Amino acid sequence: MSTLLLALGLVMIIEGLAYALAPSLIERMLEALRALPESAVRQLGLLIVVSGFILVWFATQLGAGLG
């Protein structure tokens, strides 16, 4: 449970920094996403999820340990 909370906290920090340091960039990215068809946004989301799983797997292989 502590690992999950740590991961969630890190995501919140990174997201918050993006909004705090580059709000106009976030707005432009959201506009670009709105222009894409729904299937492309769904594929992008799936790609990000798979990339996240690969990063977590790689980190555990390097000894980060989840638990």
Side-chain angles (χ1 to χ4, degrees):
M1 185 65 165
S2 64
T3 304
L4 181 62
L5 290 175
L6 175 63
L8 183 59
L10 289 172
V11 168
M12 292 173 72
I13 289 169
I14 292 169
E15 287 280 333
L17 281 173
Y19 281 100
L21 298 176
S24 61
L25 177 62
I26 299 294
E27 285 294 322
R28 289 196 308 258
M29 287 174 47
L30 288 173
E31 288 172 12
L33 278 174
R34 276 189 223 109
L36 291 175
E38 186 177 317
S39 62
V41 175
R42 186 170 286 124
Q43 288 175 347
L44 180 61
L46 183 59
L47 177 65
I48 292 169
V49 168
V50 170
S51 299
F53 275 120
I54 290 170
L55 284 174
V56 168
W57 175 83
F58 190 66
T60 57
Q61 296 303 308
L62 290 175
L66 292 176

